Structures are given as structure tokens and as C-alpha cells.
Amino acid sequence: MSTLRVAVIGCGSIAKNRHLIEYHNNPHVDIVAVCDIVENRVQEFAALYQANAYTSYEELLEKEKPDAVSVCLPNYLHAPVSIAAFNQGCHVLCEKPMATSRDEAEQMIDAAHKNNKKLMIGHNQRFVSSHRKAKQLIEQGDVGKIYSFRTTFGHGGPEGWSADGKNSWFFKKDQAFIGAMGDLGVHKADLLRYLLDEEFVDMAGFVETNAKADTDVDDNAVCILKTESGVIGTLAASWAYTSKEDNSTIIYGENATLRLEDHPDYSLIVTYKNGEVVNYELGGIQSNEEGGQTTSHVIDHFVDCILHDTEPLINGEEGKKSLEVILAVLESSKVEKVGK
């Protein structure tokens, strides 16, 4: 199989700025169909990519029988649509968070295994150059024992870039399930698991809705996480960073401190305990802002895994573990509020 017949289900901002562009740029992909419940939106992308347009994902799967699909829908639809695609013989790249519960995530994993298909979750932070370099430095012992970390992902909110602006599903609990924690926090949970190469065993947090009006999902959260070996740190996820996005991570180690995506010019700054500073220019992190890059490497990796029959870096099990971190923090926050 040298060319994959791919369909994108959901034509919102992430499909427009990531999936469709990156599939189109991949020489091994033919975009055969797009799907969205908004008729004029799906027709626009169908014309742009010379694909067939559908407003029903069931009809698309039945008629087109694509080799692979991207699921770029509101969070509550991730599991049912992914499972339907598996049962029609498709490989699935699903946006994060992979599901709204552990049970749903396990159903997705089971469906992938049952149908012998690939399941990948779109956690693009593992592919960022500075993050990969940091992992290399940690693995080869340059940083020494890891003591602590601080990571944050925040911006002004989905209304600034979502296809539906202030009316976006991101702000509706029945469709999104969770807000900034699902939009941004789960990315950082996945990144930390990747960098530290161990699981979190204790999680707590304050999860609030204090920045946005007319929404019932979280928009501001600060979490405390502890790994199996005792590494502790904080994770913040927010839609309240109104002036500038923050997508930084700092790792504090025995021999060095790593600052990732925390400087306008150097995507990784390593400060060693002897005073030596090494600045790395590794290219900027992917963003939805004007002038952002056109490849997150997620789509290319997904395509390569299908063509070469290899396991995705962020498979269903990895996606589930990162989701579980966020779910545990949410539970902790509920207990804290009940106790007041």
C-alpha cells in the first residue's frame, strides 16, 4: 500500500490548520473525503482538497471505506466515531483528549485490537524538537537525577481560533466534557510522561472556571503531580493568558536545569550547575498563530506507522494514561470542593 485513502471527520480549526494541510503535503496520502455537520464548511474544504463532502460520518465510512481517518470532533464524539471507524476497517488518528472517560478509552483500544488497526492520539508535543532534545539529554545522563518540574500551557481561549468562536463546543460541557484541562492540560501530562519516562502516582489540583463567562467547563487549573520515583512538580492549564501564549516547561535536575520553549530565540536553554549555559536554536513550537509551521509531524508519523506496520509513538494505551492523569486531577478538585 503506497498511497493511503484518508478522510477527515470534523472540519474545525484543528482540521483546517493541521490535519488537512499535513495530509495534503504528504506524498503517500490521498484525501478522499471530508465530513462536517456544517454544510458550507464541509463544501469549502471538499472543494479545496478535491474530496467528497459528507455531513454524516456513518455515510462517509460506508461509501468511501477509507484506509484511515482523522477524528477532529468535539470530545464526546471521539470514542463513538473512532469505534465506528475501526469497525469499518479504518486506522484512526484521534484528537486529544482521546475520550471522556477511562472506560471509553478502553473501548477504543479494544476496537482497534479487534480490527487489527492502528490507533494514534494527536499529542504533538512529543514531536517538538526542543522536547526531543531534552529527552535525549535526560536519557544520556546529562541532567542527572530529576528533582522537579514546572510546565504550563495557556492562551486566551478557544474563542480566538476555534471555527465557531465564542459559540464553540469547547465551552459546552455536554460536548467538551472538560475545558482547558482537556484542551491543553492533557498535552502537558503526556509531555511530562514522555520526558520523565515514568508514570504519575499522586495527583491533586485546583480546577476553576473564573476567566470565561457563560461556560460550565474549567478555564484555569493548577495541578501538583508526583511520579513513581518521587519527582514532584506543577502543571498549569489556562484559557486566561490573554496577552501571550505560554507553552513552556522547566526541568530541574541534579546537574542541570532545562528550559523548554521559554525564550523567544532559544527553544531549549540548558544551565549546568558549574555555570555553563548552552542555548539551542531548534525552531519554534507549532502554533495556530500567523506564520506558524505547517507540520507538527503527527500526521507524517501516523502515515508512516500504517505504511510500515509499526506502533505509533502515542498509541491508545499512551493516550489513556495521559487522560487518566487529567481525570485524577479533576476528581481531586471535586473532593476538595466538597470538603469546603
Side-chain angles (χ1 to χ4, degrees):
M1 187 188 296
S2 59
T3 301
L4 292 177
R5 299 176 67 257
V6 170
V8 174
I9 303 176
C11 293
S13 181
I14 196 68
K16 175 184 177 181
N17 295 316
R18 292 284 177 269
H19 293 250
L20 287 166
I21 291 174
E22 295 182 30
Y23 279 130
H24 181 68
N25 290 339
N26 190 300
H28 302 292
V29 168
D30 180 17
I31 302 174
V32 297
V34 288
C35 180
D36 198 281
I37 59 172
V38 180
E39 179 76 35
N40 62 345
R41 185 184 297 161
V42 75
Q43 291 295 342
E44 174 189 348
F45 289 112
L48 183 61
Y49 292 102
Q50 298 181 318
N52 294 324
Y54 292 86
T55 55
S56 163
Y57 75 85
E58 296 98 335
E59 184 181 3
L60 182 154
L61 293 172
E62 180 64 33
K63 288 187 176 180
E64 296 290 343
K65 301 194 184 313
D67 300 311
V69 302
S70 272
V71 176
C72 303
L73 295 165
N75 299 338
Y76 80 109
L77 293 173
H78 286 181
V81 175
S82 294
I83 291 168
F86 286 131
N87 291 336
Q88 285 285 354
C90 305
H91 302 282
V92 173
L93 170 58
C94 182
E95 266 303 324
K96 52 72 203 170
M98 72 178 289
T100 64
S101 68
R102 187 175 190 272
D103 183 57
E104 277 192 345
E106 289 175 346
Q107 290 177 39
M108 292 168 68
I109 294 168
D110 289 344
H113 288 161
K114 176 184 175 183
N115 292 283
N116 195 28
K117 296 298 174 183
K118 310 291 183 189
L119 168 59
M120 179 173 167
I121 310 304
H123 285 298
N124 56 15
Q125 300 240 342
R126 296 198 189 195
F127 297 96
V128 174
S129 298
S130 59
H131 298 165
R132 292 204 150 191
K133 182 63 178 179
K135 184 172 178 64
Q136 177 190 341
L137 294 174
I138 292 170
E139 287 180 338
Q140 66 191 32
D142 289 32
V143 184
K145 182 180 179 181
I146 304 299
Y147 297 138
S148 188
F149 58 84
R150 174 163 60 87
T151 190
T152 188
F153 197 175
H155 53 51
E159 65 268 43
W161 53 263
S162 174
D164 296 315
K166 291 183 179 180
N167 297 317
S168 173
W169 60 265
F170 278 97
F171 298 111
K172 301 169 184 175
K173 192 167 187 175
D174 60 336
Q175 297 181 44
F177 169 61
I178 43 179
M181 285 287 279
D183 181 29
L184 307 175
V186 73
H187 265 318
K188 290 302 189 180
D190 189 75
L191 172 63
L192 289 168
R193 292 183 52 253
Y194 169 71
L195 290 176
L196 302 177
D197 195 27
E198 56 178 320
E199 301 301 332
F200 292 106
V201 294
D202 286 319
M203 291 141 281
F206 296 97
V207 182
E208 297 292 338
T209 305
N210 63 10
K212 305 295 180 186
D214 303 319
T215 184
D216 52 0
V217 296
D218 58 280
D219 56 29
N220 225 352
V222 177
C223 319
I224 302 171
L225 309 176
K226 179 182 176 181
T227 71
E228 298 165 304
S229 70
V231 182
I232 57 172
T234 60
L235 180 159
S238 179
W239 288 342
Y241 297 0
T242 54
S243 60
K244 184 182 178 182
E245 179 175 300
D246 188 347
N247 202 344
S248 62
T249 299
I250 304 175
I251 304 292
Y252 301 95
E254 175 186 11
N255 300 325
T257 296
L258 309 181
R259 292 183 174 271
L260 298 87
E261 306 299 331
D262 194 39
H263 189 278
D265 300 317
Y266 305 116
S267 54
L268 172 61
I269 299 175
V270 183
T271 304
Y272 291 94
K273 66 180 181 181
N274 64 4
E276 179 188 2
V277 178
V278 180
N279 298 319
Y280 291 89
E281 291 184 80
L282 301 170
I285 196 168
Q286 281 286 140
S287 75
N288 289 330
E289 296 174 1
E290 190 70 26
Q293 300 115 300
T294 56
T295 177
S296 65
H297 305 289
V298 169
I299 273 71
D300 289 347
H301 180 72
F302 178 56
V303 170
D304 286 345
C305 287
I306 296 171
L307 294 178
H308 299 104
D309 193 21
T310 55
E311 190 68 9
L313 179 62
I314 312 101
N315 59 16
E317 289 290 345
E318 287 294 295
K320 183 183 76 167
K321 289 175 182 177
S322 296
L323 171 65
E324 286 174 335
V325 174
I326 299 307
L327 294 177
V329 171
L330 289 172
E331 285 302 312
S332 163
S333 177
K334 290 178 184 176
V335 170
E336 185 270 336
K337 288 176 181 177
V338 169
K340 283 185 177 179

